[in-house]
């Protein structure tokens, strides 16, 4: 190693091994990079930092915030190279820049399993779905019968893992360490669950649902997951029993031949390989219900503390979130690039997105992007705009959505909970000009 | 016009073939998922240390080691997860010395870390 390289390595290692200490050493007392420290940081990042004076204390540059370990990528026919979260159960995340399509194609649809993937069935049209419990007339209908008997609707619906964004929590929460890529917005075709429930006739005591599917738990003990929701969500016009995705058969990986789609709420409610819905008078008690599962604190708890979740509440509408899809994290552009056209999507559970703002100076100033209306309720929305870059060097593009109630993505993941639900902090990508 | 007709027919045929292939692709994807799940891991994928064999043997009965390797928990949180897996995921309850061996190993080798498990520096690697 040459002498010139020595400070470069030391700053980089400091940030990787102990960012807080590195920050204290590298940043000045007022939280501004200056003098030799600025030079050292710029060298470590491979470029100057044009907005260094605005960089808040305690903030690790996005390019350094990630660890040394390289992600593994899924290799599967019919699937894009998704970020592998685990092989058993099989879970894989879509990198944000692969989410650029308005309608998420099958190959770019994230994979979330709680158990094993069932074998495909020979005759999908004959697949039966049972509706029972607190109904006057239990029903058992094949997909062919559902399609014949009820109005068939097609909607673009966002469906997101309940744990999306989990890697934002500190200390680490248990579960797949998703970035923002456990989100999809496919075009789903099916019948409204509410039409089917009305045909069965809800009894007075019909207050909750319990969903069932055909996948088995990896321990071979019972079903992989069985979650339920309040009956109000089951009666929402966008809660569908689906049998087609993007105009084709639902891919096996995503729940063929039938999947319940409960848009805007944790994806685990959107039962894959869906075959039964119980209507209940009490909350469902299947695997994935109760305790700390898909539940969040009402009274915030100390991050990292022990809690059995007894006084948590079920997570329902997902929080506002955005992705930037036009440029990958780590994009390098030619010297002299002075503006950047950027775009992405934003969504907010049952709500819509009112604003998306972008900052290229570490949050010192924010610029409004154009946000398009959704094609239908529960679809994500396209945002786009242009940002100016005053000089060559290292930039971070920060992007922050605001929902229709005025709630913004926070600066850090809020309301820590043991299994890590609801983390939706402002995201950022690193860009290098020159 | 004839050319357009031919193109239209070709497109229709193409669509028919694509639909016809779907069941095959579904089967191949299910097989690929099963193959990934069945992929044998070596114990050495986990950090060397006392208790590694016990951890590898006990934990991979249900899931592969990615769930361990991505984790960075305090001893207390690892201990809590043992109860959670027993209560929620059908794991045989872990008790006594064996539990201590497993939790000690996990806490020592997969304890809190300062950095995120995601990615690398795009401009330095």
């Amino acid at each position: 190693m040459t002498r010139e390289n020595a400070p470069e390595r030391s700053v980089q290692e400091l940030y990787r091994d102990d960012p807080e200490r590195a920050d204290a050493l590298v940043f000045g007392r007022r939280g501004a990079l200056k003098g030799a420290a600025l030079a050292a940081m710029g060298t470590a990042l491979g470029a100057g930092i044009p907005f260094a004076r605005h960089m808040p204390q305690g903030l690790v540059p996005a390019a350094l915030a990630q660890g040394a370990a390289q992600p593994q990528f899924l290799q599967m026919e019919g699937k894009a190279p998704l970020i592998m979260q685990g092989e058993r159960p099989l879970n894989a995340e879509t990198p944000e820049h692969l989410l650029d399509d308005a309608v998420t194609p099958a190959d770019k649809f994230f994979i979330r399993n709680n158990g094993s993937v069932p074998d495909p069935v020979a005759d999908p049209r004959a697949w039966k779905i049972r509706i029972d419990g607190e109904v006057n007339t239990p029903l058992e209908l094949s997909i062919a019968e559902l399609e014949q008997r009820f109005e068939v609707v097609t909607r673009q619906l966002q469906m997101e893992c309940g744990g999306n964004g989990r890697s934002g929590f500190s200390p680490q929460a248990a579960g797949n360490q998703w970035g923002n890529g456990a989100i999809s917005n496919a075009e789903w075709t099916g019948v409204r669950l509410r039409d089917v429930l009305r045909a069965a006739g809800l009894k007075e005591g019909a207050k909750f649902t319990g969903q069932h599917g055909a996948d088995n738990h990896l321990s071979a003990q019972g079903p992989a997951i069985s979650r339920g929701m309040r009956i109000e969500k089951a009666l929402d016009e966008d809660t569908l029993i689906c049998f087609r995705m993007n105009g084709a058969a639902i891919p096996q990986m995503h729940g063929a031949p039938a999947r319940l789609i409960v848009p805007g709420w944790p994806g685990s409610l959107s039962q894959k390989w869906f075959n039964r819905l119980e209507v209940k008078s009490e909350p469902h008690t299947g695997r994935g219900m109760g305790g700390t599962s898909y539940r969040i604190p009402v009274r915030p708890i100390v991050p990292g503390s022990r809690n059995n979740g007894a006084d948590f509440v079920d997570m329902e509408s997902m929080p506002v979130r955005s992705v930037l899809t036009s440029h990958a994290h780590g994009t390098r552009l030619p010297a002299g690039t002075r503006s950047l056209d950027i775009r992405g999507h934003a969504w907010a559970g049952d709500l819509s997105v009112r604003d998306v703002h972008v900052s290229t100076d570490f949050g010192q100033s924010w610029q409004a992007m154009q946000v398009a209306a959704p094609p239908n309720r529960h679809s994500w929305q396209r945002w786009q705009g242009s940002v100016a870059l005053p000089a060559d060097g290292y930039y971070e593009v920060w992007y922050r959505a605001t929902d229709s109630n005025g709630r913004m993505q926070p600066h850090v993941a809020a309301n820590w909970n043991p299994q890590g639900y609801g983390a939706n902090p402002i995201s950022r990508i690193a860009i290098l000009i020159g | 016009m004839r050319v357009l007709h031919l193109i239209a027919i070709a497109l229709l045929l193409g669509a028919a073939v694509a639909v016809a292939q779907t069941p095959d692709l579904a089967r191949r994807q299910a097989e690929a998922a099963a193959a990934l799940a069945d992929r044998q891991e070596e114990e050495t994928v986990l950090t060397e240390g006392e208790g590694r064999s016990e951890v590898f043997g006990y934990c991979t009965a249900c899931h592969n080691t990615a769930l361990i390797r991505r984790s960075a928990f305090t001893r207390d949180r690892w201990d809590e997860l043992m109860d959670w897996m027993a209560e929620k995921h059908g794991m045989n309850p872990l008790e006594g010395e064996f539990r201590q061996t497993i939790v000690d190993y996990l806490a020592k080798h997969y304890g809190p870390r300062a950095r995120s498990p995601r990615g690398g520096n795009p401009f330095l690697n």
Side-chain angles (χ1 to χ4, degrees):
Chain A
M1 190 196 301
T2 62
R3 257 187 95 78
E4 287 75 25
N5 283 340
E8 177 179 332
R9 281 196 56 78
S10 68
V11 173
Q12 181 190 345
E13 281 170 2
L14 265 175
Y15 264 98
R16 283 187 174 166
D17 296 343
D18 189 348
E20 280 170 35
R21 182 163 164 265
D23 192 60
L25 290 173
V26 173
F27 282 84
R29 211 176 246 195
R30 286 169 294 155
L33 279 171
K34 55 197 174 196
L38 174 59
M41 178 74 112
T43 313
L45 292 166
I49 304 178
F51 288 115
R53 69 186 186 281
H54 300 322
M55 207 164 169
Q57 187 160 18
L59 187 81
V60 182
L64 291 176
Q66 306 196 336
Q70 290 297 318
Q72 305 283 307
F73 293 95
L74 174 74
Q75 289 182 306
M76 183 182 285
E77 183 187 358
K79 296 300 291 185
L82 307 182
I83 301 162
M84 193 67 115
Q85 292 278 354
E87 290 87 356
R88 183 164 59 103
L90 178 59
N91 289 300
E93 171 176 0
T94 311
E96 280 192 38
H97 67 276
L98 292 186
L99 288 168
D100 198 42
D101 305 84
V103 174
T104 309
D107 65 322
K108 293 168 184 161
F109 202 106
F110 75 97
I111 298 176
R112 172 72 178 111
N113 286 295
N114 287 271
S116 48
V117 176
D119 290 331
V121 293
D123 183 4
R125 302 286 294 164
W127 179 269
K128 284 201 164 72
I129 292 157
R130 187 172 167 76
I131 307 287
D132 58 17
E134 296 289 314
V135 292
N136 297 322
T137 315
L139 299 173
E140 192 172 50
L141 297 168
S142 69
I143 288 176
E145 288 166 329
L146 282 172
E147 200 168 1
Q148 188 183 22
R149 195 165 153 186
F150 301 98
E151 185 189 352
V152 174
V153 295
T154 296
R155 308 275 282 176
Q156 291 175 27
L157 301 171
Q158 35 104 351
M159 204 273 294
E160 177 180 23
C161 177
N164 202 19
R166 182 178 288 125
S167 64
F169 277 120
S170 180
Q172 189 184 49
N176 291 305
Q177 295 299 301
W178 305 112
N180 282 325
I183 172 72
S184 60
N185 195 65
E187 187 176 82
W188 292 95
T189 298
V191 298
R192 293 186 190 95
L193 176 61
R194 74 178 183 196
D195 293 348
V196 181
L197 290 176
R198 280 171 186 161
L202 291 177
K203 287 186 176 172
E204 191 88 340
K207 303 289 184 203
F208 300 93
T209 67
Q211 281 89 286
H212 299 270
D215 47 337
N216 290 317
H217 195 259
L218 295 171
S219 66
Q221 297 168 36
I225 189 163
S226 175
R227 302 207 56 245
M229 59 197 167
R230 285 189 290 120
I231 198 74
E232 289 81 356
K233 183 64 176 173
L235 297 174
D236 186 291
E237 65 171 343
D238 288 334
T239 298
L240 308 179
I241 301 173
C242 295
F243 31 79
R244 282 196 289 280
M245 185 180 112
N246 299 340
I250 299 173
Q252 188 62 23
M253 206 57 59
H254 302 299
R259 180 168 195 173
L260 189 68
I261 291 292
V262 184
W265 286 32
S268 52
L269 291 164
S270 294
Q271 193 84 39
K272 294 158 85 171
W273 309 291
F274 176 55
N275 58 18
R276 181 183 168 213
L277 184 129
E278 285 177 83
V279 181
K280 311 183 71 142
S281 57
E282 299 290 329
H284 187 48
T285 54
R287 184 170 264 152
M289 298 296 289
T292 56
S293 298
Y294 301 97
R295 282 159 63 84
I296 48 178
V298 179
R299 194 185 69 178
I301 64 172
V302 176
S305 62
R306 221 178 233 264
N307 199 299
N308 65 11
D311 57 358
F312 290 9
V313 292
D314 286 1
M315 190 186 202
E316 296 189 332
S317 179
M318 294 288 290
V320 63
R321 192 187 304 279
S322 53
V323 288
L324 192 159
T325 60
S326 55
H327 296 81
H329 170 57
T331 294
R332 188 164 191 166
L333 295 161
T337 303
R338 287 295 169 267
S339 77
L340 208 56
D341 291 333
I342 52 175
R343 64 178 180 274
H345 309 285
W347 63 97
D350 283 338
L351 303 175
S352 61
V353 170
R354 192 168 77 188
D355 296 306
V356 172
H357 288 87
V358 164
S359 176
T360 54
D361 57 7
F362 303 97
Q364 182 77 9
S365 64
W366 291 89
Q367 179 185 341
M369 298 284 108
Q370 297 165 319
V371 181
N376 54 250
R377 190 168 155 253
H378 283 125
S379 167
W380 67 14
Q381 293 164 250
R382 170 68 84 192
W383 64 264
Q384 61 186 342
S386 183
V387 291
L389 305 168
D392 289 354
Y394 173 87
Y395 290 88
E396 295 184 7
V397 182
W398 293 15
Y399 38 105
R400 179 194 73 196
T402 305
D403 72 23
S404 47
N405 285 346
R407 291 173 71 90
M408 296 174 188
Q409 292 184 256
H411 283 260
V412 294
N415 205 17
W416 188 94
N417 54 93
Q419 284 186 252
Y421 302 106
N424 65 332
I426 295 168
S427 289
R428 45 192 174 136
I429 63 161
I431 298 265
L432 186 56
I433 310 295
Chain B
M1 278 310 284
R2 180 169 291 176
V3 172
L4 283 178
H5 281 142
L6 283 174
I7 290 171
I9 288 165
L11 285 174
L12 280 173
L13 281 174
V17 169
V19 170
Q21 281 174 349
T22 299
D24 281 346
L25 180 59
R27 182 179 47 74
R28 290 199 298 273
Q29 283 194 340
E31 285 169 3
L36 279 170
D38 290 344
R39 191 190 279 168
Q40 293 303 305
E41 292 184 290
E42 296 292 333
E43 185 184 313
T44 50
V45 72
L46 293 174
T47 307
E48 191 174 1
E50 194 185 336
R52 179 171 74 176
S53 295
E54 288 85 346
V55 165
F56 185 80
Y58 206 77
C59 304
T60 60
C62 278
H63 57 77
N64 82 346
T65 63
L67 275 69
I68 300 169
R69 288 181 282 113
R70 74 182 180 208
S71 299
F73 301 133
T74 61
R75 193 183 193 289
D76 198 42
R77 290 234 54 220
W78 276 119
D79 193 59
E80 189 180 17
L81 282 168
M82 298 305 128
D83 292 332
W84 179 74
M85 284 185 279
E87 284 164 25
K88 298 284 189 181
H89 289 282
M91 183 180 84
N92 287 326
L94 269 174
E95 275 153 19
E97 211 173 299
F98 191 59
R99 178 177 179 129
Q100 196 171 327
T101 301
I102 284 185
V103 174
D104 282 350
Y105 172 85
L106 292 169
K108 182 172 178 187
H109 300 287
Y110 295 93
R113 56 183 170 226
R115 58 177 187 246
S116 141
R118 284 182 64 212
N121 184 328
F123 302 125
L124 291 175
N125 292 335

